[in-house]
Protein backbone atom coordinates (compact mmCIF):
# COMPACT_ATOMS: atom_id res chain seq x y z
CA UNK A 1 0.00 0.00 0.00
CA UNK A 2 1.25 3.47 -0.94
CA UNK A 3 0.65 6.60 1.14
CA UNK A 4 -0.23 9.63 -0.97
CA UNK A 5 0.54 12.87 0.83
CA UNK A 6 1.76 14.96 -2.10
CA UNK A 7 1.53 18.73 -2.01
CA UNK A 8 -0.67 19.92 -4.92
CA UNK A 9 1.52 23.03 -5.16
CA UNK A 10 4.59 22.35 -7.29
CA UNK A 11 6.31 25.71 -6.89
CA UNK A 12 5.64 28.60 -4.53
CA UNK A 13 7.36 31.95 -5.02
CA UNK A 14 6.29 34.45 -2.37
CA UNK A 15 2.47 34.43 -2.69
CA UNK A 16 2.46 32.91 -6.18
CA UNK A 17 1.55 29.23 -6.35
CA UNK A 18 2.13 27.05 -9.38
CA UNK A 19 0.14 23.85 -9.07
CA UNK A 20 0.89 20.47 -10.61
CA UNK A 21 -2.42 20.59 -12.48
CA UNK A 22 -1.41 23.82 -14.22
CA UNK A 23 1.94 22.29 -15.16
CA UNK A 24 0.13 19.24 -16.54
CA UNK A 25 -1.83 21.46 -18.93
CA UNK A 26 1.31 23.36 -19.96
CA UNK A 27 3.48 20.29 -20.56
CA UNK A 28 0.65 18.36 -22.22
CA UNK A 29 0.02 21.13 -24.74
CA UNK A 30 3.74 21.81 -25.26
CA UNK A 31 4.75 18.18 -25.85
CA UNK A 32 1.67 17.54 -27.97
CA UNK A 33 2.45 20.56 -30.15
CA UNK A 34 6.10 19.51 -30.61
CA UNK A 35 5.19 15.91 -31.42
CA UNK A 36 2.49 16.97 -33.86
CA UNK A 37 4.83 19.31 -35.72
CA UNK A 38 7.73 16.86 -35.81
CA UNK A 39 5.98 13.57 -36.57
CA UNK A 40 2.27 13.66 -37.34
CA UNK A 41 1.50 16.55 -39.68
CA UNK A 42 2.07 15.49 -43.26
CA UNK A 43 -0.22 18.01 -44.93
CA UNK A 44 1.95 21.07 -45.66
CA UNK A 45 -0.99 23.50 -45.52
CA UNK A 46 -2.03 22.20 -42.11
CA UNK A 47 1.57 22.36 -40.87
CA UNK A 48 1.84 26.01 -41.90
CA UNK A 49 -1.42 26.86 -40.12
CA UNK A 50 -0.91 24.71 -37.02
CA UNK A 51 0.77 27.38 -34.88
CA UNK A 52 -2.20 29.71 -35.47
CA UNK A 53 -4.58 26.86 -34.74
CA UNK A 54 -2.90 26.26 -31.37
CA UNK A 55 -4.32 29.47 -29.88
CA UNK A 56 -7.85 28.41 -30.91
CA UNK A 57 -7.18 25.00 -29.40
CA UNK A 58 -6.08 26.37 -26.02
CA UNK A 59 -9.13 28.63 -25.79
CA UNK A 60 -11.39 25.72 -26.73
CA UNK A 61 -9.85 23.46 -24.07
CA UNK A 62 -10.13 26.02 -21.28
CA UNK A 63 -13.59 27.38 -22.08
CA UNK A 64 -15.01 23.98 -23.00
CA UNK A 65 -13.45 22.23 -20.03
CA UNK A 66 -14.74 24.77 -17.55
CA UNK A 67 -18.23 25.20 -19.01
CA UNK A 68 -18.52 21.44 -19.41
CA UNK A 69 -17.82 20.96 -15.71
CA UNK A 70 -20.28 23.69 -14.76
CA UNK A 71 -23.12 22.34 -16.92
CA UNK A 72 -22.55 18.58 -16.64
CA UNK A 73 -21.26 18.11 -13.11
CA UNK A 74 -22.26 20.99 -10.83
CA UNK A 75 -24.90 23.20 -12.47
CA UNK A 76 -27.02 23.81 -9.37
CA UNK A 77 -24.02 25.11 -7.40
CA UNK A 78 -22.95 27.53 -10.11
CA UNK A 79 -26.49 28.80 -10.64
CA UNK A 80 -26.41 29.86 -6.98
CA UNK A 81 -22.78 31.05 -7.21
CA UNK A 82 -22.29 32.37 -10.77
CA UNK A 83 -19.10 34.33 -10.00
CA UNK A 84 -17.38 31.06 -9.00
CA UNK A 85 -17.54 29.96 -12.64
CA UNK A 86 -14.50 32.16 -13.27
CA UNK A 87 -12.47 30.71 -10.37
CA UNK A 88 -10.72 28.07 -12.44
CA UNK A 89 -7.80 27.94 -9.98
CA UNK A 90 -10.16 26.27 -7.48
CA UNK A 91 -10.50 23.28 -9.80
CA UNK A 92 -13.33 21.92 -11.88
CA UNK A 93 -12.59 20.99 -15.49
CA UNK A 94 -14.42 18.44 -17.60
CA UNK A 95 -12.55 16.37 -20.18
CA UNK A 96 -15.68 15.90 -22.28
CA UNK A 97 -16.38 19.63 -22.11
CA UNK A 98 -12.82 20.32 -23.24
CA UNK A 99 -13.32 17.85 -26.08
CA UNK A 100 -16.43 19.70 -27.24
CA UNK A 101 -14.44 22.94 -27.01
CA UNK A 102 -11.72 21.44 -29.23
CA UNK A 103 -14.31 20.34 -31.80
CA UNK A 104 -15.92 23.79 -31.93
CA UNK A 105 -12.54 25.56 -32.10
CA UNK A 106 -11.41 23.25 -34.90
CA UNK A 107 -14.56 23.84 -36.92
CA UNK A 108 -14.27 27.62 -36.53
CA UNK A 109 -10.59 27.65 -37.48
CA UNK A 110 -10.99 25.28 -40.42
CA UNK A 111 -14.01 27.16 -41.76
CA UNK A 112 -12.04 30.41 -41.57
CA UNK A 113 -9.25 28.81 -43.63
CA UNK A 114 -11.58 26.79 -45.91
CA UNK A 115 -10.22 23.44 -44.74
CA UNK A 116 -11.60 20.17 -43.40
CA UNK A 117 -11.71 20.41 -39.56
CA UNK A 118 -10.90 16.70 -39.29
CA UNK A 119 -7.44 17.44 -40.66
CA UNK A 120 -6.79 19.20 -37.35
CA UNK A 121 -8.91 17.05 -35.07
CA UNK A 122 -7.12 13.88 -36.20
CA UNK A 123 -3.77 15.42 -35.24
CA UNK A 124 -5.15 16.47 -31.86
CA UNK A 125 -6.55 12.97 -31.35
CA UNK A 126 -3.10 11.46 -31.89
CA UNK A 127 -1.36 13.68 -29.33
CA UNK A 128 -4.18 14.12 -26.79
CA UNK A 129 -3.21 10.97 -24.83
CA UNK A 130 -0.01 12.78 -23.85
CA UNK A 131 -1.98 15.57 -22.19
CA UNK A 132 -4.39 13.06 -20.67
CA UNK A 133 -1.47 11.17 -19.13
CA UNK A 134 -0.06 14.31 -17.49
CA UNK A 135 -3.52 15.37 -16.36
CA UNK A 136 -4.26 12.07 -14.65
CA UNK A 137 -0.89 12.09 -12.89
CA UNK A 138 -1.76 15.58 -11.65
CA UNK A 139 -5.13 14.25 -10.43
CA UNK A 140 -3.23 11.59 -8.48
CA UNK A 141 -0.89 14.15 -6.92
CA UNK A 142 -3.88 16.35 -6.02
CA UNK A 143 -5.70 13.40 -4.36
CA UNK A 144 -8.75 14.02 -6.56
CA UNK A 145 -10.90 11.68 -8.66
CA UNK A 146 -9.77 8.90 -6.33
CA UNK A 147 -10.95 5.31 -6.39
CA UNK A 148 -13.15 3.11 -4.25
CA UNK A 149 -11.94 1.30 -1.16
CA UNK A 150 -9.98 -1.88 -1.88
CA UNK A 151 -7.54 -4.27 -0.19
CA UNK A 152 -5.48 -4.90 -3.30
CA UNK A 153 -1.71 -4.75 -2.72
CA UNK A 154 -1.32 -1.68 -4.99
CA UNK A 155 -3.96 0.30 -3.12
CA UNK A 156 -3.22 3.90 -2.16
CA UNK A 157 -4.19 5.83 0.95
CA UNK A 158 -4.97 9.45 0.14
CA UNK A 159 -4.33 11.01 3.53
CA UNK A 160 -5.91 14.28 2.47
CA UNK A 161 -9.17 12.34 2.00
CA UNK A 162 -9.18 9.64 4.69
CA UNK A 163 -7.12 6.70 5.96
CA UNK A 164 -8.72 4.05 3.76
CA UNK A 165 -6.84 2.08 1.06
CA UNK A 166 -8.29 2.93 -2.36
CA UNK A 167 -7.93 2.11 -6.03
CA UNK A 168 -5.47 4.56 -7.65
CA UNK A 169 -8.04 5.15 -10.39
CA UNK A 170 -6.12 8.18 -11.65
CA UNK A 171 -3.18 5.90 -12.47
CA UNK A 172 -5.48 3.40 -14.17
CA UNK A 173 -6.67 6.24 -16.39
CA UNK A 174 -3.12 7.48 -17.01
CA UNK A 175 -2.20 3.98 -18.18
CA UNK A 176 -5.28 3.28 -20.30
CA UNK A 177 -6.36 6.72 -21.58
CA UNK A 178 -2.78 7.92 -21.83
CA UNK A 179 -0.21 5.26 -22.70
CA UNK A 180 -2.44 2.50 -24.13
CA UNK A 181 -4.60 4.89 -26.15
CA UNK A 182 -1.51 6.58 -27.59
CA UNK A 183 -0.02 3.24 -28.68
CA UNK A 184 -3.31 2.09 -30.21
CA UNK A 185 -3.78 5.25 -32.25
CA UNK A 186 -0.15 5.28 -33.40
CA UNK A 187 -0.44 1.66 -34.55
CA UNK A 188 -3.58 2.47 -36.57
CA UNK A 189 -2.47 5.84 -37.92
CA UNK A 190 -0.96 4.68 -41.21
CA UNK A 191 -3.87 2.36 -41.98
CA UNK A 192 -6.53 5.06 -41.62
CA UNK A 193 -4.71 8.34 -42.23
CA UNK A 194 -5.94 8.59 -45.82
CA UNK A 195 -9.47 9.64 -44.77
CA UNK A 196 -9.79 12.56 -42.31
CA UNK A 197 -12.07 11.77 -39.38
CA UNK A 198 -11.40 8.08 -38.86
CA UNK A 199 -8.62 8.67 -36.31
CA UNK A 200 -10.93 11.07 -34.46
CA UNK A 201 -13.62 8.37 -34.41
CA UNK A 202 -11.17 5.79 -33.07
CA UNK A 203 -10.07 8.21 -30.37
CA UNK A 204 -13.67 8.68 -29.23
CA UNK A 205 -14.29 4.93 -29.21
CA UNK A 206 -11.22 3.82 -27.29
CA UNK A 207 -11.06 6.77 -24.87
CA UNK A 208 -14.74 6.37 -24.01
CA UNK A 209 -14.39 2.61 -23.53
CA UNK A 210 -11.39 2.99 -21.21
CA UNK A 211 -13.06 5.80 -19.25
CA UNK A 212 -16.28 3.80 -18.89
CA UNK A 213 -14.40 0.81 -17.45
CA UNK A 214 -12.27 2.79 -15.00
CA UNK A 215 -15.32 4.62 -13.67
CA UNK A 216 -16.39 1.33 -12.03
CA UNK A 217 -13.35 1.68 -9.73
CA UNK A 218 -13.68 5.43 -9.16
CA UNK A 219 -15.79 7.19 -6.54
CA UNK A 220 -18.57 9.10 -8.35
CA UNK A 221 -18.81 12.86 -8.01
CA UNK A 222 -20.07 13.63 -4.52
CA UNK A 223 -22.69 16.14 -5.68
CA UNK A 224 -24.13 13.71 -8.26
CA UNK A 225 -23.59 10.14 -7.14
CA UNK A 226 -24.91 7.57 -9.58
CA UNK A 227 -27.25 9.15 -12.09
CA UNK A 228 -28.67 6.27 -14.18
CA UNK A 229 -28.79 2.50 -13.56
CA UNK A 230 -25.87 2.76 -11.13
CA UNK A 231 -23.80 4.49 -13.80
CA UNK A 232 -21.87 7.65 -12.96
CA UNK A 233 -22.21 10.83 -14.98
CA UNK A 234 -18.79 10.13 -16.47
CA UNK A 235 -20.03 6.77 -17.74
CA UNK A 236 -23.23 8.20 -19.19
CA UNK A 237 -21.33 10.91 -21.06
CA UNK A 238 -18.69 8.39 -22.17
CA UNK A 239 -21.40 6.17 -23.68
CA UNK A 240 -22.70 9.12 -25.68
CA UNK A 241 -19.22 9.90 -26.99
CA UNK A 242 -18.51 6.22 -27.69
CA UNK A 243 -21.64 5.96 -29.85
CA UNK A 244 -20.64 9.20 -31.57
CA UNK A 245 -17.23 7.69 -32.31
CA UNK A 246 -18.76 4.51 -33.73
CA UNK A 247 -21.07 6.57 -35.95
CA UNK A 248 -18.22 8.76 -37.15
CA UNK A 249 -16.02 5.74 -37.87
CA UNK A 250 -18.83 4.04 -39.79
CA UNK A 251 -19.68 7.09 -41.88
CA UNK A 252 -16.06 7.79 -42.77
CA UNK A 253 -15.48 4.17 -43.70
CA UNK A 254 -18.50 4.33 -45.99
CA UNK A 255 -16.78 7.16 -47.83
CA UNK A 256 -13.67 5.04 -48.02
Amino acid sequence: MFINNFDPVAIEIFSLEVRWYSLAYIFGILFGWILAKKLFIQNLEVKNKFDDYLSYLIIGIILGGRLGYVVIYNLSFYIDNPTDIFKIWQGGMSFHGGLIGIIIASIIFAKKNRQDPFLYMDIVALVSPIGIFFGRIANFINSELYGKVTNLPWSVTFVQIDNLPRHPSQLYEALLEGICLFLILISLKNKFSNIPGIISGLFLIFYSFFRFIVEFYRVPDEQLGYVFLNFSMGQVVSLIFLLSGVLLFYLKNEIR
Side-chain angles (χ1 to χ4, degrees):
M1 183 177 67
F2 180 80
I3 305 297
N4 183 330
N5 194 24
F6 291 115
D7 188 342
V9 178
I11 304 170
E12 185 172 0
I13 304 174
F14 300 110
S15 60
L16 177 64
E17 293 182 348
V18 179
R19 294 178 173 264
W20 289 108
Y21 202 70
S22 300
L23 292 178
Y25 268 83
I26 293 170
F27 285 118
I29 292 172
L30 180 62
F31 289 160
W33 172 69
I34 293 173
L35 202 58
K37 293 274 285 187
K38 294 291 186 182
L39 297 179
F40 297 142
I41 304 178
Q42 298 174 344
N43 185 306
L44 184 59
E45 189 177 357
V46 171
K47 193 168 188 176
N48 291 336
K49 296 285 187 180
F50 200 76
D51 289 349
D52 296 331
Y53 168 67
L54 186 63
S55 59
Y56 284 73
L57 187 66
I58 293 171
I59 293 172
I61 292 172
I62 295 174
L63 289 182
R66 184 57 170 175
L67 292 177
Y69 179 80
V70 169
V71 174
I72 298 172
Y73 291 98
N74 217 348
L75 183 59
S76 59
F77 171 81
Y78 289 105
I79 288 176
D80 295 333
N81 305 274
T83 57
D84 284 358
I85 293 175
F86 303 99
K87 299 178 181 178
I88 297 178
W89 59 89
Q90 293 183 353
M93 297 286 282
S94 161
F95 173 83
H96 292 106
L99 182 55
I100 292 173
I102 290 172
I103 293 171
I104 294 173
S106 300
I107 291 172
I108 292 172
F109 183 82
K111 184 176 180 181
K112 177 183 175 183
N113 291 279
R114 298 179 182 178
Q115 295 174 298
D116 184 346
F118 284 115
L119 291 172
Y120 293 94
M121 284 190 276
D122 284 353
I123 299 299
V124 174
L126 286 169
V127 299
S128 286
I130 300 170
I132 295 171
F133 176 82
F134 283 120
R136 294 312 183 194
I137 296 299
N139 290 147
F140 179 77
I141 292 173
N142 289 349
S143 295
E144 59 191 6
L145 310 182
Y146 47 85
K148 297 177 181 178
V149 174
T150 180
N151 290 320
L152 289 171
W154 59 81
S155 65
V156 175
T157 298
F158 299 92
V159 297
Q160 298 181 36
I161 307 302
D162 51 33
N163 291 315
L164 300 175
R166 297 180 175 276
H167 283 285
S169 53
Q170 314 95 325
L171 301 185
Y172 299 167
E173 292 191 74
L175 176 63
L176 292 174
E177 301 163 11
I179 297 173
C180 289
L181 180 56
F182 181 73
L183 294 176
I184 289 171
L185 294 177
I186 293 303
S187 68
L188 296 174
K189 179 179 75 71
N190 291 334
K191 182 178 180 180
F192 294 111
S193 61
N194 58 323
I195 296 184
I198 290 186
I199 293 297
S200 295
L202 289 170
F203 173 87
L204 291 175
I205 292 169
F206 283 106
Y207 172 84
S208 300
F209 174 74
F210 289 146
R211 174 73 181 270
F212 184 85
I213 296 301
V214 174
E215 287 274 339
F216 283 116
Y217 301 94
R218 180 169 140 181
V219 174
D221 297 270
E222 182 179 354
Q223 70 277 12
L224 293 176
Y226 294 103
V227 297
F228 179 71
L229 297 178
N230 286 327
F231 289 158
S232 67
M233 180 61 80
Q235 287 176 307
V236 171
V237 178
S238 291
L239 281 175
I240 295 171
F241 276 80
L242 190 151
L243 293 174
S244 300
V246 170
L247 179 61
L248 177 60
F249 183 80
Y250 172 77
L251 292 176
K252 290 296 181 178
N253 262 304
E254 284 293 297
I255 296 173
R256 192 182 184 196

